[in-house]
Amino acid sequence: MTSITSTLTVSQMRSLSESAITALSSEEISQLSTAHIRVLSSSQVSALEAEDITALSGDQLRALSANGIKGLTATHLAVLDAARISSLISSQVAALTSDQISTLNSTQIEGFSAAQVRVLTSSQVAAMSADDLAAMSADEIAVMSPRALGAMQESIVSTLPTDLISALTGRQIKAFSTDMIAALTTQQIASLSTDAVAGLTSAQLETLGTAQVAALGTSQIAALSRVLIAALGDDDLATFSTDKIAAIGTQSMSGLSSDSVSALTNAQLGALSSGQIAALTALQIGAFSDSQISNFNTTQVAALSGRQIKAMSTEQVAAFSTVQIAALSTTALMGLTSDHIEALSAEQIETFSTTQTSVLSKAQLAAMAVEDIESFSTADIAATAPRSIAGFSTASIAALSTDQLGALSTGQIAVLTTAQVAALASGQIAELSTSQISAMLARQISALSSDQIGALTTDQVSAIATKGISGLSTEQVATLTVDQIGAFSTSQTAALSSAQLAVMSSDDIAAFSTDNIAAISVRAISGLSTDIITELTTAQFAALTTKQIAALADNQIAALSETQIADLGSDQLGALTARQIRALSSDQLGALTTSQIGLLSTKALSGLASDQIVALSVDQVQALTSEQVAVLNKVQIAAMAADDIGSFSTEDIAATNLRAISGLSTDSIAALTSEQMGALTTAQVAAMTMEQIAAFTDSQIVDLRTDQIAALTGRQVAALTSDQIGALDTDQVVALSLKAVPGLTSDQIQALSADQIAAFSTEQTGALTSAQIAAMLMEDIEAFSTDDIAAISTKAIPGLSTDHIAGLGSAQLLALTLEQVQVMKPDQVEIIIAAYQAL
């Protein structure tokens, strides 16, 4: 039979009164749809009987709304077994009030699924009893929200089974109040997961009692963060076994307070790993007592960093045993301050390995006492870094033993300060190897005292680098012995400056080999005094290079003896400059052999002054080559006597340059031989002065070639004397240039013979001036050919006198051109007309 409830609409169901709901039978209730059930209000649900609840199917029960769930009474809930409780959906469970939760028994609670537990609220959990919570599984506890779990009654905490406690997560434990944490038993503490322990707050950890802290296992200790470690009290740490101490994470070590660190027992201290030691802060390191420091094992000591060592007090560092000192890493050793170094005993420093010594800084070495350095083995000395070597005090340097000094590498030697070098005793200097000496820099060499310089052996002197030689002061050079200077290599000699050479004695220079002499730089050669120059041996003087010779100063050249001048080799002579030649005295010039004269460079010869030219002998002048003569200037040529010029070969004469030819004196000109005259070039002839031309003898005039005659200028021709003119043969007359012919003076014209006039070419005749025509005698005019008459220029025609015209022969008269007649003067015309009429 169909129940009436099945015909009700949802709206009708929602509007039923509580009494109407109560009036419904269990069977009618069971026939309600889930839609009808879903709209039941809390008051409608409350109106149901317990048997009605029992009659609800699982679907109907799950159809109750959150509001409807709230209507379940304690009587209703009591009839729901664990299975039906577990069938409730999450939203229904979350809707249960705290009163409803409190009515549930542990069996019903045990029926909760993990999904239901997950939605439990704080108020619901707060309403649960110890048995209720104990009824849950570990998995269910693990999914309960931290907020809900944190609402648990404080009194219940200590009753929770350890399996539930072990299921707690870090987020859940963090939600516990400090009172709840304090309520945990030691067994519960021991059962906490590492995640839960890591989730503890500092306040929670500080709440734990000593017994509770003591209950923490090594894995739990390892889970404690730096902040949590910092929350532990000194009493807490005192309970830690060595295993627990060893379990503290390296990242958490810095959480230990200074008091906690200083309170660590020797056993606890010994349990610290190298990683834990390395993780300690500078403040923590500084908190260790001297006794604790001395109990560090070598592994722990080796783990210390430079930063940690730097944080130690001098007392702590001094507490290290020699075994511990030997265990320090190089990084740690670099952390030792100057105060630390000073606090170390000689025995501790003596323990340093060569590896440790190699990292010592300049400041650390500077802090060491003399006896500390004295304790260094030769291996330690050799291991000292060059960049740190400057840290050795001068007192320590002075105290170095022969073996220690010998252990210094060339790299270490090169970085010694000048003060350190100066601190070496003469005996120590003498012990240095040649390779060590070679490594010394110029600034170090210059720092050596006269006593130190004097202690150098000849082998050591030979080993000084060239820059070191350059660095020697003049005072140091002056203290060198003859043997020391004699030990100089050629490269060392080449490094000497002029100032250094200037302070050397003649004995010093005498100790130089010929190779050393040749090695003196051109910049330094000027440092040789004039006295030393004159005292050079023949071999030494011969060793001077051409560049050195060229670099000698005027006073050095002037100091050369006549013997040395005579010893100058061909290359040396060729290197002499004009300036140096000018510095030679007459005696020095006189010492030059004829073969040496010919070896002088043309540039050098240009330096000869007039008085030096005068001092040359005829043989020396004769020894000049044509190339040398070619560079002699006018002044030098002018300074030569006629005998000197007479010694010139024809090649020398021809080589004399045009600017210098005018320097020949008239005596020298007159003394020229016919061969020398023949050697004169046309250009040289053209370059001669009128005085020189006038100085030619008649015989020299006769010797002039026609091309030389042709080279004479008008001015030169005008300078010829009547005798010279008369000495010209007809070929020479014909050779006179058209430019020279007009230069003949009236006297010269009159000095010409009729034959010379007759030799004139028509071109020469055409070049005659009116004055020259006028100066001619009648026999000169008569000597003209008809071509010559016709060649007389219209400008020169007026020079014909009436006697000249009257004396013209008929052929000459007829040779006159119309242009010539037209330029004649009236008196000339009258004579011409008369002459024509007489024909």
Side-chain angles (χ1 to χ4, degrees):
M1 181 175 178
T2 303
S3 171
I4 190 170
T5 55
S6 62
T7 64
L8 293 173
T9 65
V10 171
S11 177
Q12 289 173 324
M13 191 68 193
R14 183 183 291 114
S15 62
L16 286 177
S17 64
E18 286 82 355
S19 58
I21 290 293
T22 303
L24 292 174
S25 66
S26 298
E27 183 179 355
E28 289 174 322
I29 290 296
S30 66
Q31 292 180 4
L32 290 173
S33 68
T34 55
H36 290 135
I37 295 295
R38 189 171 293 113
V39 298
L40 290 175
S41 65
S42 60
S43 58
Q44 288 175 314
V45 171
S46 296
L48 293 172
E49 298 292 341
E51 51 269 27
D52 296 336
I53 295 299
T54 303
L56 291 174
S57 67
D59 289 340
Q60 287 177 312
L61 188 60
R62 283 189 294 277
L64 285 170
S65 66
N67 186 43
I69 282 292
K70 287 181 168 46
L72 292 172
T73 65
T75 304
H76 294 156
L77 291 170
V79 300
L80 294 175
D81 58 19
R84 302 201 74 191
I85 287 292
S86 66
S87 70
L88 293 174
I89 61 176
S90 298
S91 60
Q92 291 174 317
V93 172
L96 291 170
T97 65
S98 55
D99 290 337
Q100 289 174 312
I101 288 292
S102 65
T103 63
L104 296 175
N105 57 46
S106 56
T107 303
Q108 291 173 310
I109 293 293
E110 189 176 0
F112 276 0
S113 67
Q116 292 172 318
V117 171
R118 184 178 285 110
V119 299
L120 289 174
T121 64
S122 301
S123 58
Q124 289 173 323
V125 173
M128 290 183 179
S129 67
D131 291 339
D132 293 337
L133 287 168
M136 292 186 184
S137 68
D139 291 340
E140 290 170 340
I141 286 292
V143 299
M144 189 178 293
S145 73
R147 179 175 293 181
L149 198 57
M152 180 191 341
Q153 297 174 43
E154 180 187 324
S155 59
I156 294 176
V157 173
S158 62
T159 66
L160 291 175
T162 55
D163 63 322
L164 296 186
I165 292 295
S166 65
L168 291 173
T169 65
R171 292 180 67 249
Q172 290 173 322
I173 202 74
K174 189 172 289 185
F176 278 24
S177 67
T178 53
D179 289 337
M180 292 170 69
I181 292 295
L184 290 170
T185 66
T186 55
Q187 291 81 9
Q188 289 175 315
I189 288 290
S191 67
L192 285 171
S193 68
T194 55
D195 180 59
V197 170
L200 290 168
T201 65
S202 298
Q204 289 173 323
L205 196 65
E206 290 173 356
T207 304
L208 292 175
T210 303
Q212 289 174 305
V213 172
L216 291 170
T218 55
S219 60
Q220 293 172 311
I221 296 293
L224 292 174
S225 66
R226 177 184 63 80
V227 174
L228 294 177
I229 288 293
L232 293 173
D234 296 342
D235 292 339
D236 297 330
L237 282 171
T239 67
F240 277 21
S241 66
T242 55
D243 289 341
K244 290 182 181 180
I245 287 291
I248 298 174
T250 55
Q251 293 182 340
S252 303
M253 283 298 295
S254 60
L256 291 172
S257 68
S258 297
D259 290 340
S260 296
V261 168
S262 63
L264 290 173
T265 65
N266 287 338
Q268 289 175 316
L269 193 64
L272 291 173
S273 68
S274 58
Q276 290 173 310
I277 290 290
L280 292 171
T281 65
L283 190 62
Q284 290 171 316
I285 289 291
F288 283 124
S289 67
D290 299 347
S291 174
Q292 286 175 309
I293 291 292
S294 65
N295 279 296
F296 274 28
N297 59 45
T298 54
T299 302
Q300 292 172 321
V301 170
L304 291 169
S305 67
R307 174 182 54 80
Q308 292 172 317
I309 289 292
K310 187 175 290 185
M312 287 185 174
S313 66
T314 54
E315 290 78 16
Q316 287 176 311
V317 170
F320 278 137
S321 67
T322 54
V323 175
Q324 288 175 311
I325 288 290
L328 286 170
S329 69
T330 54
T331 304
L333 205 70
M334 288 189 284
L336 289 171
T337 65
S338 298
D339 290 340
H340 288 154
I341 293 291
E342 290 176 2
L344 292 173
S345 66
E347 291 74 24
Q348 287 174 309
I349 288 178
E350 191 175 1
T351 307
F352 284 171
S353 66
T354 55
T355 304
Q356 291 174 313
T357 304
S358 70
V359 300
L360 290 172
S361 69
K362 175 182 174 182
Q364 289 172 320
L365 287 173
M368 290 186 181
V370 173
E371 54 268 25
D372 295 332
I373 302 299
E374 286 178 327
S375 71
F376 273 23
S377 66
T378 55
D380 291 328
I381 291 290
T384 304
R387 65 177 178 278
S388 305
I389 207 76
F392 284 140
S393 68
T394 53
S396 295
I397 289 289
L400 290 175
S401 68
T402 300
D403 290 340
Q404 287 178 316
L405 201 61
L408 288 171
S409 68
T410 54
Q412 292 170 316
I413 288 288
V415 295
L416 290 172
T417 66
T418 53
Q420 289 173 318
V421 170
L424 291 168
S426 298
Q428 290 175 306
I429 289 290
E431 293 294 333
L432 292 174
S433 68
T434 53
S435 59
Q436 289 174 316
I437 291 291
S438 295
M440 294 183 76
L441 305 179
R443 61 176 175 77
Q444 295 172 316
I445 293 293
S446 63
L448 295 173
S449 67
S450 56
D451 288 340
Q452 290 174 313
I453 290 287
L456 291 170
T457 66
T458 53
D459 286 341
Q460 288 176 314
V461 169
S462 296
I464 297 174
T466 54
K467 288 187 177 179
I469 292 293
S470 300
L472 288 169
S473 67
T474 53
E475 291 77 8
Q476 290 174 311
V477 171
T479 64
L480 290 169
T481 66
V482 172
D483 289 339
Q484 288 174 317
I485 287 177
F488 276 8
S489 66
T490 53
S491 58
Q492 290 175 314
T493 303
L496 291 169
S497 67
S498 59
Q500 291 171 319
L501 281 175
V503 297
M504 288 187 180
S505 68
S506 56
D507 290 338
D508 294 334
I509 300 300
F512 275 1
S513 67
T514 54
D515 288 338
N516 289 124
I517 289 292
I520 297 172
S521 72
V522 293
R523 294 187 300 275
I525 199 74
S526 61
L528 292 174
S529 69
T530 54
D531 289 339
I532 287 176
I533 286 285
T534 58
E535 292 177 9
L536 291 175
T537 66
T538 303
Q540 287 178 318
F541 190 74
L544 289 171
T545 67
T546 55
K547 290 183 178 179
Q548 290 173 318
I549 289 290
L552 290 173
D554 293 352
N555 64 327
Q556 291 173 311
I557 290 291
L560 294 175
S561 68
E562 294 175 26
T563 302
Q564 288 174 314
I565 291 291
D567 285 338
L568 285 168
S570 57
D571 290 339
Q572 292 174 319
L573 284 164
L576 289 171
T577 65
R579 173 185 55 77
Q580 293 172 318
I581 289 291
R582 193 175 295 115
L584 292 172
S585 67
S586 298
D587 290 338
Q588 287 174 312
L589 281 171
L592 289 170
T593 65
T594 53
S595 58
Q596 286 179 308
I597 288 290
L599 295 171
L600 293 172
S601 71
T602 54
K603 286 186 177 179
L605 276 176
S606 66
L608 284 169
S610 298
D611 57 338
Q612 291 176 309
I613 292 288
V614 171
L616 293 174
S617 68
V618 173
D619 289 338
Q620 288 176 312
V621 172
Q622 188 177 20
L624 293 171
T625 65
S626 299
E627 290 76 13
Q628 291 174 313
V629 171
V631 300
L632 295 174
N633 59 41
K634 176 182 175 180
V635 174
Q636 291 172 317
I637 291 291
M640 289 185 178
D643 290 342
D644 295 329
I645 300 299
S647 71
F648 274 17
S649 67
T650 54
E651 289 80 6
D652 295 335
I653 291 293
T656 306
N657 70 72
L658 300 181
R659 291 188 298 276
I661 202 73
S662 62
L664 287 169
S665 68
T666 55
D667 287 342
S668 295
I669 289 289
L672 292 173
T673 66
S674 59
E675 288 80 8
Q676 289 177 316
M677 285 293 294
L680 289 169
T681 66
T682 56
Q684 289 174 319
V685 170
M688 287 183 173
T689 65
M690 291 184 291
E691 289 77 9
Q692 289 174 315
I693 293 294
F696 282 142
T697 64
D698 295 349
S699 61
Q700 288 175 318
I701 289 293
V702 171
D703 287 333
L704 287 173
R705 300 187 312 275
T706 55
D707 61 331
Q708 292 174 318
I709 292 293
L712 292 171
T713 65
R715 293 177 67 250
Q716 289 175 317
V717 168
L720 293 170
T721 65
S722 297
D723 290 339
Q724 289 173 317
I725 289 292
L728 293 171
D729 62 28
T730 55
D731 288 338
Q732 290 175 312
V733 169
V734 173
L736 289 171
S737 70
L738 298 181
K739 289 184 178 180
V741 168
L744 290 167
T745 66
S746 298
D747 290 341
Q748 290 173 318
I749 289 292
Q750 290 178 355
L752 289 169
S753 67
D755 289 338
Q756 289 174 312
I757 294 292
F760 276 0
S761 67
T762 54
E763 288 81 4
Q764 289 175 312
T765 302
L768 291 170
T769 65
S770 174
Q772 290 173 319
I773 292 292
M776 288 184 178
L777 300 175
M778 191 62 228
E779 56 265 29
D780 296 332
I781 298 298
E782 289 173 348
F784 278 168
S785 68
T786 54
D787 289 338
D788 289 328
I789 290 295
I792 298 172
S793 70
T794 54
K795 289 184 179 180
I797 281 293
L800 288 170
S801 68
T802 54
D803 288 340
H804 288 156
I805 295 173
L808 291 173
S810 58
Q812 290 177 313
L813 279 172
L814 292 174
L816 288 169
T817 66
L818 179 61
E819 290 79 9
Q820 291 172 320
V821 173
Q822 286 177 338
V823 297
M824 287 183 175
K825 295 180 291 185
D827 56 340
Q828 291 175 310
V829 172
E830 287 179 7
I831 298 299
I832 284 292
I833 291 173
Y836 272 112
Q837 289 174 345
L839 290 177

